[in-house]
C-alpha cells in the first residue's frame, strides 16, 4: 500500500538520484557464483563477484554445508551468548586463530558487524579513531558510531597519520585501515603504518576482507604478503564471504582482545549466530585455501593477463596487484554506458559510482577469480576494446 506522506517525503531524493545517474538497481541471479552466471535470464561471464578463489560453489564446501545442516539443522536459534554457539562455530574459530597465528579468533555474522562491534568496543568518548579516507564504509560508520574523535588521513599516507597522531591528546588511539582497498585494489603500506602507530601508542586494526585467502604464499592475507609480524597489527579482521566463498567474518588477536569483544561488542552480542552449517562449510573452504595454493597462482596469472591486456588498450588502471582491478572512467554516465555495452557483449562488470567512490572517479570494477579461464579474460579485454571504440565514435563531433 502506498503511503501518501511517507512516499511524498521519499520521492525527491529518488528522483534526484535517478537524474544524476546514481540510481542503484539489483540484478537477479539464477545460478551459483562462478565464471558464468545467469542474470535476469541471460548467460553472462561475470567479472564482479568477490569469489576470488572460486570456492563459493566448490563441491567440498557444498558437501560440508549439507553435512552441517544434516547434523545441526539450519538456524542457530540464538546469539552466541545465549545458546547459538555450536561446536562448528567453535572449531572454525580455533582453526582461524591457528591459521592466523593468533591466540584467539571470534566469528561475527557479517564483516560490517565485525567492524562496527570491534571499533565501538575498543574506543569511545575521549578516545581517537584514525582512518584512511578510502576505508570501507563499515569501518567509517564504525568510527562515527563509536563516539571517539574521528580523524581521517590521506590515502596510504603514513606521514599524514603521524601528524594526526602527534597532534592528538586522545586517551586511546585506534588506527584502522583496509588491507586491500575494496574499490581501488591497492594495499595499505602496513610496515610503515605499524611503525607510526606503535611510535604513538596507537593500536593498528587491519580489515583484510580482500586480502585474506588471496595474498601471501599461504593465503593468510596482507600481513603475510608484506612480512608484517602479528604483534605489529594487534587487531586483524577478515571476512568469509569473499575469497572463502561462504559468509560471515572474524576478528583475530590476543585473548584479552577477544574476551573484550565477547563482553562489549554489541553487534556480536545482540545478533543471531550464523547458521552452524555456514561455519562447517567455511572450515572446508579454509582447508582448500591451505591445501590448494594453485588457486592463488591461477588468480595471479589472470590478474597479470588482465593488466597487460588493459594497458595495451590504453585503459587507466589503478595501482593494484590484487584481484580488484578497476578501470577508471571518471564520468558516471559514461561508466554506466560502458557497463551496459559490455553486458550486450555477454560480460557482466559493475559500474561503481559516488558515493561509493569519490566524485569524478566512476569506474568499472573488474574482479578476477581463479575460476576464470584465460579465454574468458581475453574475451573481456576484447569486449572492452570494442565498447570503448563504439563510444569513441559515438562521442566524436
Ligand atoms: C565486504 C567488506 C566488508 C563487509 O563484509 P560483509 O561480510 O560483506 O558484511 C568489510 N570490509 C571490507 C573492506 C569489505 O570489502
Amino acid at each position: 500500500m502506498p503511503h501518501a506522506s511517507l512516499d511524498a517525503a521519499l520521492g525527491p531524493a529518488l528522483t534526484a538520484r535517478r537524474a544524476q545517474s546514481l540510481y542503484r538497481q539489483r540484478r537477479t541471479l539464477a545460478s551459483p557464483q562462478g565464471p558464468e552466471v545467469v542474470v535476469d535470464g541471460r548467460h553472462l561471464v561475470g567479472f564482479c563477484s568477490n569469489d576470488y578463489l572460486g570456492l563459493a560453489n566448490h563441491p567440498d564446501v557444498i558437501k560440508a554445508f549439507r553435512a552441517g545442516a544434516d547434523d545441526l539443522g539450519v538456524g542457530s536459534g540464538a546469539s552466541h551468548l545465549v545458546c547459538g554457539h555450536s561446536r562448528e562455530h567453535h572449531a572454525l574459530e580455533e582453526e582461524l586463530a591457528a591459521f592466523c597465528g593468533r591466540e584467539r579468533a571470534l566469528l561475527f555474522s557479517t564483516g560490517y558487524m565485525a567492524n562496527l562491534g570491534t571499533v565501538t568496543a575498543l574506543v569511545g568518548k575521549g578516545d581517537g579513531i584514525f582512518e584512511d579516507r578510502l576505508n570501507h564504509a563499515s569501518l567509517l560508520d564504525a568510527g562515527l558510531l563509536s563516539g571517539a574523535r574521528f580523524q581521517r588521513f590521506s590515502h596510504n599516507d603514513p606521514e599524514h597519520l603521524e601528524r594526526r597522531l602527534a597532534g592528538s591528546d586522545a586517551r586511546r588511539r585506534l588506527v584502522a585501515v583496509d588491507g586491500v582497498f575494496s574499490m581501488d585494489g591497492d594495499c595499505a603500506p602496513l610496515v610503515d603504518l605499524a611503525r607510526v602507530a606503535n611510535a604513538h601508542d596507537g593500536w593498528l586494526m587491519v580489515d583484510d576482507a580482500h586480502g585474506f585467502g588471496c595474498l601471501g604464499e599461504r593465503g593468510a592475507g596482507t600481513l603475510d604478503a608484506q612480512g608484517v609480524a602479528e604483534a605489529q597489527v594487534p587487531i586483524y579482521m577478515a571476512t568469509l564471504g569473499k575469497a572463502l566463498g561462504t559468509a560471515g567474518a572474524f576478528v583475530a588477536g590476543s585473548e584479552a582482545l577477544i574476551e573484550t569483544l565477547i563482553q562489549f561488542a554489541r553487534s556480536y552480542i545482540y545478533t543471531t549466530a550464523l547458521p552452524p552449517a555456514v561455519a562447517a562449510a567455511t572450515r572446508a573452504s579454509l582447508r582448500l585455501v591451505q591445501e590448494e595454493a594453485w588457486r592463488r597462482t591461477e588468480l595471479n596469472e589472470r590478474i597479470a593477463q588482465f593488466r597487460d591486456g588493459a594497458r595495451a588498450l590504453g585503459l587507466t588502471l589503478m595501482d593494484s596487484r590484487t584481484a580488484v582491478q578497476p578501470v577508471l572512467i571518471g564520468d558516471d554516465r559514461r561508466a554506466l554506458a560502458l557497463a551496459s555495452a559490455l553486458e550486450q557483449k555477454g560480460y557482466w562488470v559493475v559500474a561503481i559510482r559516488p558515493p561509493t567512490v569519490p566524485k569524478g572517479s566512476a569506474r568499472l570494477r573488474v574482479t578476477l577469480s581463479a575460476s576464470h579461464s584465460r579465454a574468458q579474460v581475453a574475451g573481456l579485454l576484447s569486449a572492452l576494446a570494442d565498447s570503448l571504440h563504439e563510444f569513441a565514435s559515438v562521442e566524436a563531433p
Side-chain angles (χ1 to χ4, degrees), residues 317-396:
L317 290 175
M318 301 189 119
D319 178 25
S320 163
R321 288 176 304 138
T322 67
V324 179
Q325 288 293 334
V327 177
L328 189 64
I329 303 298
D331 180 66
D332 301 331
R333 222 164 321 156
R334 185 168 158 81
L336 278 182
L338 284 167
S340 99
L342 286 171
E343 188 174 331
Q344 295 294 315
K345 300 177 190 2
Y347 294 89
W348 191 17
V349 175
V350 169
I352 305 282
R353 295 157 287 158
T356 309
V357 293
K359 275 210 176 87
S361 74
R363 62 201 67 179
L364 298 172
R365 182 176 179 269
V366 171
T367 51
L368 295 150
S369 167
S371 62
H372 285 125
S373 66
R374 280 194 71 79
Q376 285 166 330
V377 174
L380 171 65
L381 285 162
S382 92
L384 265 168
D386 292 348
S387 306
L388 288 162
H389 188 70
E390 280 163 32
F391 280 88
S393 52
V394 166
E395 279 173 14

Side-chain angles (χ1 to χ4, degrees), residues 206-367:
V206 172
D207 170 346
D208 211 14
H210 300 274
F212 187 66
C214 294
L215 297 183
E217 221 156 285
R218 300 185 307 123
T222 311
L223 277 65
D224 191 19
Q226 297 187 14
V228 179
E230 276 73 37
Q232 300 297 101
V233 180
I235 306 143
Y236 182 76
M237 174 272 187
T239 68
L240 304 170
K242 287 166 182 150
L244 273 82
T246 59
F250 70 95
V251 172
S254 66
E255 174 78 19
L257 172 69
I258 299 307
E259 284 300 318
T260 297
L261 297 182
I262 294 173
Q263 308 307 317
F264 301 111
R266 295 171 62 84
S267 65
Y268 179 78
I269 300 167
Y270 298 108
T271 201
T272 300
L274 282 171
V278 170
T282 308
R283 295 178 67 197
S285 305
L286 186 61
R287 274 194 295 281
L288 291 165
V289 163
Q290 295 173 82
E291 287 166 5
E292 301 192 347
W294 60 263
R295 291 179 184 276
R296 286 183 285 283
T297 311
E298 287 285 309
L299 174 61
N300 288 329
E301 281 176 17
R302 297 304 166 270
I303 294 169
Q305 182 193 354
F306 179 76
R307 283 186 71 78
D308 291 347
R311 260 194 231 106
L313 292 174
L315 296 175
T316 309
L317 290 175
M318 301 189 119
D319 178 25
S320 163
R321 288 176 304 138
T322 67
V324 179
Q325 288 293 334
V327 177
L328 189 64
I329 303 298
D331 180 66
D332 301 331
R333 222 164 321 156
R334 185 168 158 81
L336 278 182
L338 284 167
S340 99
L342 286 171
E343 188 174 331
Q344 295 294 315
K345 300 177 190 2
Y347 294 89
W348 191 17
V349 175
V350 169
I352 305 282
R353 295 157 287 158
T356 309
V357 293
K359 275 210 176 87
S361 74
R363 62 201 67 179
L364 298 172
R365 182 176 179 269
V366 171
T367 51

Side-chain angles (χ1 to χ4, degrees), residues 15 28 34 39 59-60 63 91 98 102 108 114 121 127 154 205 224 235 240 244 260 272 293 302 308 364 378:
T15 308
T28 306
V39 191
D60 291 3
K63 198 170 138 206
R102 310 228 169 204
F108 283 79
D127 301 327
S154 308
M205 169 175 180
D224 191 19
I235 306 143
L240 304 170
L244 273 82
T260 297
T272 300
R302 297 304 166 270
D308 291 347
L364 298 172

Side-chain angles (χ1 to χ4, degrees), residues 50-83:
N50 304 314
D51 179 27
Y52 302 128
L53 298 178
L55 297 179
N57 189 37
H58 190 287
D60 291 3
V61 179
I62 297 170
K63 198 170 138 206
F65 185 68
R66 281 214 184 96
D70 285 342
D71 287 354
L72 299 167
V74 177
S76 67
S79 67
H80 286 276
L81 295 188
V82 174
C83 60

